[in-house]
Amino acid sequence: MCIRKSILFSLVLISCIGILKAQELPSQKEIMDQMVLTNQYLMDKWPDPGVNVITNRERSSNLWTRAVYYEGLMALYSLKNDKAYYDYAVKWGESHNWGLRNGAQTRHADNHCAGQTYIMLYEMDPQPERIRDIQASIDEMLASYKINDWDWIDALQMAMPVFAQLTSLTGDKKYSERMYEMYMDTKVTQGLFNPIDNLWWRDKDFLPPYQEPNGNDCYWSRGNGWVVAAMVRTLEFLPKDDPHRFEYVQMLQRMLKSVLTVQRTDGFWNVSLHDPTHFEGKETSGTALFLYGMAWGVNNGLLEKEVYMPAITKAWKAISNEAIHDNGYLGFLQGTGKEPKDGQPVTYTSKPDFEDYGLGCFLLAASEMYKLMK
């Protein structure tokens, strides 16, 4: 009888723990509602997606910040087949004649970022003009021997997925091989990856002896988040038999294991990963990118669910409960820059110079949370 009661008590305890954990997690409806809300805020603010963006100066709307948003919009569209989302993306491409900022001759990764969405839209409706300029630009890069263009780590997210997409689209491995060469140049030759901490310095300006105020190396949250996103999106688009696939898997795993240890107790990550006192506070974009990587890794069997779910849950609750305004505006978003001091102060009501890329990061993270809640 005692044994039977003990077993019954254990089963009840396990059931209660399961209920409590379920209560901590959002439903798919809750996630989708927040994706729709935040996305609608931006679509309402920019009813014409082709209009130039004016901050400290005027820029065409096919710049990298808007291109990152469209990555997120396409993730939302893959879950909610709303024609308004598709039309909004197509209108953006058509507004620029499917061109790249600074023309098809550009080698700059930021200018290539728009190509990620152009290629996705081409796969949905293969009209040649949609990939004309992005493929021409990458082909021109491949016609030279230069491989050191990516001298800042944000470039990996902006451009690597394009090379992976073109590999799958054309079946030509010249794109994935050049991507690997350029990635390894950034990682090893330029030395922006620190294999001791398994994190990346943003660019050569932050290589040792540069130090944060507490004496540690400077690892910028969103910069490392860009690399996490680069690994995720490259792995999504790259053929399964690519010989370098394990390198990208291992990099994703190493980085996320490292950032797991420096998550704030409230679920956010600080702008400075190894100096929490340097412009300390909540920050949405880096947090969303790490959440994106962790949720995608669990969804694809590359990360242990029992290890990463507590961090995933905390990060989601942090953004969804504390960063999203009633009208869909995202708070705690650091403006553009390359280090902790840039875009400050970062608060719930602060307005960054650009807000579109922050929404893109959130939509990518939310799309993986949505899948995780199945």
Side-chain angles (χ1 to χ4, degrees):
M1 179 68 73
C2 290
I3 294 175
R4 188 176 298 172
K5 285 183 177 180
S6 177
I7 293 173
L8 180 61
F9 175 77
S10 297
L11 291 173
V12 171
L13 181 61
I14 291 170
S15 177
C16 289
I17 291 173
I19 292 171
L20 287 172
K21 287 186 175 181
Q23 289 174 341
E24 293 178 357
L25 297 172
S27 67
Q28 284 190 316
K29 182 182 184 305
E30 290 170 332
I31 296 170
M32 181 56 66
D33 286 347
Q34 291 194 315
M35 293 179 77
V36 170
L37 173 69
T38 53
N39 182 69
Q40 196 60 49
Y41 168 83
L42 188 132
M43 287 180 65
D44 289 344
K45 183 174 180 178
W46 299 93
D48 181 356
V51 70
N52 286 354
V53 181
I54 302 175
T55 55
N56 60 326
R57 61 187 176 88
E58 190 169 355
R59 299 172 175 86
S60 62
S61 71
N62 56 355
L63 79 168
W64 73 266
T65 67
R66 191 59 55 85
V68 171
Y69 158 68
Y70 280 99
E71 294 175 41
L73 178 63
M74 297 307 291
L76 170 58
Y77 179 67
S78 71
L79 302 175
K80 182 179 175 63
N81 197 249
D82 189 327
K83 188 173 182 295
Y85 300 155
Y86 175 81
D87 290 345
Y88 193 65
V90 170
K91 187 177 179 182
W92 176 63
E94 290 176 342
S95 297
H96 300 289
N97 194 27
W98 304 99
L100 308 177
R101 189 163 181 255
N102 296 331
Q105 294 73 38
T106 185
R107 297 180 64 96
H108 202 285
D110 285 355
N111 299 331
H112 288 148
C113 192
Q116 295 188 42
T117 298
Y118 292 172
I119 295 171
M120 285 178 154
L121 292 170
Y122 171 83
E123 290 176 323
M124 296 176 186
D125 183 5
Q127 300 181 34
E129 65 270 18
R130 295 186 175 187
I131 62 168
R132 176 196 62 226
D133 285 13
I134 185 60
Q135 187 169 10
S137 184
I138 302 303
D139 284 347
E140 189 168 320
M141 289 182 72
L142 267 60
S144 75
Y145 293 104
K146 189 174 185 293
I147 62 171
N148 62 349
D149 295 89
W150 299 342
D151 56 8
W152 77 110
I153 60 176
D154 313 32
L156 301 183
Q157 194 286 141
M158 306 300 159
M160 282 183 68
V162 170
F163 284 74
Q165 287 172 297
L166 288 173
T167 304
S168 294
L169 188 66
T170 66
D172 195 330
K173 294 183 178 180
K174 68 180 182 182
Y175 297 108
S176 56
E177 285 302 311
R178 176 57 64 90
M179 175 183 70
Y180 178 74
E181 292 173 356
M182 295 180 72
Y183 160 82
M184 290 301 290
D185 178 82
T186 307
K187 176 188 174 184
V188 179
T189 306
Q190 298 185 52
L192 297 186
F193 177 66
N194 184 354
I196 297 175
D197 291 329
N198 288 318
L199 293 171
W200 294 68
W201 293 292
R202 198 272 181 177
D203 56 49
K204 63 181 178 60
D205 291 344
F206 300 96
L207 296 174
Y210 184 95
Q211 292 181 340
E212 289 281 73
N214 71 349
N216 287 331
D217 287 354
C218 179
Y219 300 117
W220 183 41
S221 177
R222 187 165 68 233
N224 278 274
W226 288 137
V227 182
V228 166
M231 298 304 103
V232 167
R233 296 180 67 74
T234 296
L235 288 167
E236 276 208 325
F237 299 132
L238 200 63
K240 300 296 183 185
D241 62 351
D242 185 86
H244 310 299
R245 191 175 181 88
F246 180 68
E247 164 64 30
Y248 310 131
V249 169
Q250 189 178 51
M251 179 56 66
L252 179 66
Q253 292 171 330
R254 292 170 71 179
M255 290 186 70
L256 292 177
K257 183 177 181 181
S258 181
V259 301
L260 186 66
T261 64
V262 293
Q263 186 181 23
R264 292 161 51 101
T265 57
D266 62 10
F268 285 96
W269 274 268
N270 289 301
V271 291
S272 178
L273 295 178
H274 279 198
D275 188 349
T277 65
H278 192 206
F279 294 98
E280 61 182 311
K282 305 166 184 179
E283 203 285 307
T284 298
S285 62
T287 300
L289 290 167
F290 295 143
L291 172 58
Y292 174 46
M294 289 181 181
W296 187 89
V298 170
N299 282 332
N300 288 272
L302 300 180
L303 298 176
E304 304 90 339
K305 187 172 184 179
E306 61 274 14
V307 173
Y308 285 90
M309 277 306 297
I312 289 171
T313 303
K314 287 198 302 180
W316 174 259
K317 289 174 65 178
I319 296 176
S320 63
N321 294 343
E322 299 184 46
I324 301 175
H325 290 230
D326 291 342
N327 66 350
Y329 177 79
L330 280 177
F332 300 113
L333 177 62
Q334 185 184 18
T336 57
K338 68 176 188 177
E339 59 181 308
K341 73 176 179 62
D342 292 331
Q344 296 290 343
V346 176
T347 68
Y348 178 67
T349 57
S350 62
K351 184 178 180 181
D353 52 354
F354 295 88
E355 55 188 346
D356 41 12
Y357 63 85
L359 175 57
C361 296
F362 170 71
L363 292 175
L364 289 171
S367 68
E368 288 302 318
M369 280 298 297
Y370 184 91
K371 298 171 189 175
L372 191 58
M373 291 306 104
K374 283 187 177 179

